[in-house]
Amino acid sequence: RYTSHVTLEWCTFRGRQRDQLAQAVDDHVILIAMKVLALSCDGARRSLSPEQRIHTAVLTTLVEHHLTLEEFGLNMHFSIPTYHWVGQCLRSPYYSCKQLSCALEAWTKFREVRGQFGVGGAGLLFKISPGAADEVWQHVREAFVHLWVRRGVDVSKIVAKLDGLEAEHRETRLKNVEWWECSQMKREVKTQRALQRAVDRRDMAERLAERRERHSMRQEDSCMRHQHRQVEDLSFRVWRRLTRLVSAWAVVLRGTAAKQARAQARAELEAR
C-alpha cells in the first residue's frame, strides 16, 4: 500500500493509505499545495501566527479540491529537534484529522519551549550556552512527558526512555560541551589580544603624538636660533661696515688736516 506525506516546520502530514500508486500521487499533490500555501506569507496570511497559517492552508487546499478532512484522511505528527540532548528527534503521537487543532496547539507549545535557535548537536551551542541548553531541555522534557501522559502512556515508561536516550548520548554531549568551553577560551583569548592590540595602538598613537610635538618644538627652537643668528650676523656686518667707514673717514680727515697745515706753513714762509 502507498502513503504520501510532506514535512513542514517539524510537522509531517500524511494522507490515507492507498491501494494504487496514482491515488497516492494525487494525495501528494494536495499535500504539496498545502505546504506551498502554508509557507506563503502574502496578503492577509502575513499577520497570522504559524499555527493559524498552517490550519488555514490545510482547510483552504482541501476546499479547493472539494474534499473534507475526513474524506482526505489527513493525519499528522511532529518531531522536536533534540539532537544535542539525546542524539535524535523526539516524536509526538499521531493525530487524526479530527485532532488537527490539538496537534497544532501542541506543536506551537514545543516551538515555544524548544526555541528556534540552532538545530543539531554542537550547532545548538553556536547559539546558546550549555547552561541555557540544559534549561531548554528541562522544559522540552517536561512538555514531552506531559504530552504522552495525556495520550494514556505510563509516565514511568516515558521517563525511562528519555533517561536511556540521555545516557546513550552523554559522551557526545560532554564532547560538545568541552568543544564549547574550548571555543569560549579561544574567544576570550582573542578578545584579550584584541584589547591588548587596541591598548598598544593607543599607546603608540600617544608616543607618536609626543614625538611629533617634541619634533615641532625642536623645529621651533631651531628656527628661533637661526633667526637670532641671522640678526646677530646682520648686526655684526653693520658694525664692521660702520667701523670701516669711521676708519676711512679718519684717514681722510688726517690727510685734510695735514694738507691744511702744509698750506698754512707755505703761506707763512711766503709772507716773510
Side-chain angles (χ1 to χ4, degrees), residues 234-248:
L234 179 61
S235 300
F236 176 74
R237 288 196 298 269
V238 170
W239 173 81
R240 186 172 56 185
R241 185 170 297 178
L242 288 175
T243 304
R244 290 176 180 175
L245 289 174
V246 169
S247 299

Side-chain angles (χ1 to χ4, degrees), residues 248-268:
W249 184 250
V251 172
V252 171
L253 289 178
R254 286 196 298 272
T256 303
K259 287 181 180 180
Q260 290 178 354
R262 287 195 298 272
Q264 185 178 3
R266 192 181 300 112
E268 289 179 354

Side-chain angles (χ1 to χ4, degrees), residues 8 26 44 68 86 121 124 166 170 184 189 212 237 263:
L8 170 66
D26 292 338
T68 63
V86 295
L124 180 66
E166 283 188 74
R170 182 175 182 274
Q184 288 296 109
V189 170
R212 292 192 188 99
R237 288 196 298 269

Side-chain angles (χ1 to χ4, degrees), residues 188-199:
E188 184 66 24
V189 170
K190 289 182 179 179
T191 302
Q192 293 296 331
R193 289 178 178 173
L195 292 174
Q196 186 61 44
R197 286 194 297 268
V199 172

Side-chain angles (χ1 to χ4, degrees), residues 107-130:
W107 169 75
T108 301
K109 178 177 177 59
F110 275 98
R111 279 171 58 92
E112 293 174 353
V113 298
R114 168 59 174 81
Q116 297 302 305
F117 27 73
V119 175
L124 180 66
L125 299 184
F126 277 104
K127 303 295 183 180
I128 58 177
S129 65

Side-chain angles (χ1 to χ4, degrees), residues 11 19 31 40 45 57 74 81 85 101 112 126 129 134 154 162 182 190 195 199 210 219 226 231 235 249 251 255 271:
C11 296
D19 295 327
L31 291 173
S40 64
R45 285 189 294 272
L74 183 71
W85 302 287
S101 298
E112 293 174 353
F126 277 104
S129 65
D134 292 342
D154 187 3
L162 293 177
C182 292
K190 289 182 179 179
L195 292 174
V199 172
E210 293 177 357
Q219 285 185 330
H226 180 66
V231 171
S235 300
W249 184 250
V251 172

